[in-house]
Structures are given as structure tokens and as C-alpha cells.
Amino acid sequence: MRPVAARLSRIAAGAGKRLGRLWRDRRGVGAVEFALLAPVLLMLYICAFELTVGLSVAKRATRATGTIADLVAQQNGKVTKAFLATMVDVADSIFVPFSSSSLTLKISGITIDASNAAKISWSWQKGGTRPYVVGASVIVPSEMQKPSTFLVRAELSVPHDLMMFMANAFSMSTTQITIKREYFFRQRVGDSISCTDC
């Protein structure tokens, strides 16, 4: 029995020495740390990139909406459907290099009467249809609501796909958000702007 106990004692001592050496050995620690951190860093990089692209699209949506409202407000007294249809090209050129094929664009003329009631005078949307009923009430920003004035409103919305990692499952998914912008501009020339065929 004693030789077996001595042999087990030697095996245990050898295993203890090997475990001690393994515990003190620091080779490969960097590789293990990198293997643990690499997926998290990759996730953060992709999310930051996607958010940056999303912010760039949002900036272009803001610029396009303001530019369109400004261009329509500069017209001398009247506009037509043909002129308003060119505003889609304006938006497309501002959105380059991003796709704007699925954007929605609405342009409205709003009359504020002497009693300070804002109503749709005319409206047009991409595709040539009328999105709002003539005479429908409109909510206008308080700083622009002045009696007997005319406003041009441009509304633009564009869907954008964001590739995001889900925080709880570490899986990738695509989330679609809709970026919407709305601008009001006063007419620059005359008292109002009419749309002859809207």
C-alpha cells in the first residue's frame, strides 16, 4: 500500500508543479484578450459607422427640405405641377451619394387669413397628386402665424436602414427608421403664390 501512496503523492506533486507553471505562464494572454474583445470592438465600429451614415442622411433631408421650401417661396406669384415636380430632382441631387428613390415629398401653399386661421390654399406631392384638401386647417409655428400672410410648407420623409447589433443577443439586424423634416417659408415676392393646376 505504501508504494501506491508514494506514487500518488509523486503524481499529485508533479501535477501541482505543472499547474503552478501554467498559472505563472503569461504567454498567449494577449491573444486570449483579443479574442474576447474583438467581437465587441467590431460591433462598436459597425454601429458607429451606421449611425454616422444615418446622421449624414438626416442632414441631407434637412438641407433638401429647406432648399425646396426656399425655392418655391422665391417664385413670382404662381407655380405649376411641372415646376413642383422638378423639386424631386433638387432633393435627388442633394441626397447624392445616398439613394432617394423612396423619399416622399409634399409641398403646400398656406394662407393665413385676417382672423389668424391657417388653411391649405393648394398642395402637391411626389407623383402629382393632392395630399391635402383645399381649405383644411393647418398648424403653423407660432412665430410664423401672422394675419393676412402666405406660407410655403415643404415636408420630406425618407426611410433609412440601420444595421445594428442587438445588445442582448449579439446578433445583427436591420432596423428601418423614417427621417422626416418640415419647413415653413414666407413668400418672397407679392402677397401669395398660387398653383394653377394643383
Side-chain angles (χ1 to χ4, degrees):
M1 184 96 179
R2 285 183 116 182
V4 173
R7 190 169 171 208
L8 285 175
S9 175
R10 281 193 309 263
I11 291 173
K17 286 180 186 177
R18 280 191 218 105
L19 281 174
R21 277 196 308 255
L22 181 63
W23 182 256
R24 289 187 299 275
D25 190 1
R26 295 291 179 221
R27 292 177 294 175
V29 171
V32 172
E33 288 174 351
F34 179 76
L36 292 173
L37 290 177
V40 175
L41 293 175
L42 185 62
M43 249 184 357
L44 287 174
Y45 174 76
I46 290 173
C47 287
F49 175 76
E50 284 295 323
L51 288 173
T52 302
V53 170
L55 288 171
S56 185
V57 171
K59 216 161 50 168
R60 281 174 166 75
T62 301
R63 191 178 311 136
T65 310
T67 301
I68 289 167
D70 189 25
L71 287 171
V72 175
Q74 291 178 34
Q75 299 311 301
N76 189 5
K78 67 178 182 177
V79 293
T80 62
K81 280 185 176 182
F83 171 77
L84 295 174
T86 62
M87 296 299 109
V88 176
D89 297 331
V90 170
D92 288 343
S93 65
I94 291 172
F95 269 93
V96 170
F98 302 107
S99 172
S100 60
S101 58
S102 55
L103 72 81
T104 303
L105 177 63
K106 298 175 187 174
I107 305 170
S108 309
I110 299 169
T111 303
I112 303 175
D113 61 22
S115 63
N116 227 11
K119 296 189 176 175
I120 295 286
S121 177
W122 54 265
S123 63
W124 173 92
Q125 73 178 351
K126 181 181 172 185
T129 59
R130 181 187 300 157
Y132 303 111
V133 177
V134 173
S137 295
V138 183
I139 297 172
V140 174
S142 57
E143 64 272 8
M144 298 197 81
Q145 193 156 2
K146 293 191 174 145
S148 303
T149 56
F150 186 84
L151 300 174
V152 172
R153 176 178 68 180
E155 302 166 87
L156 186 141
S157 65
V158 61
H160 179 68
D161 292 328
L162 283 176
M163 186 173 58
M164 302 296 284
F165 281 94
M166 293 180 355
N168 56 355
F170 289 98
S171 63
M172 233 171 16
S173 66
T174 302
T175 303
Q176 188 174 78
I177 60 170
T178 302
I179 299 168
K180 296 180 181 180
R181 296 292 182 267
E182 178 182 53
Y183 268 85
F184 291 86
F185 271 72
R186 291 196 193 287
Q187 86 288 350
R188 304 290 179 83
V189 181
D191 298 328
S192 66
I193 299 170
S194 64
C195 183
T196 54
D197 55 355
C198 289

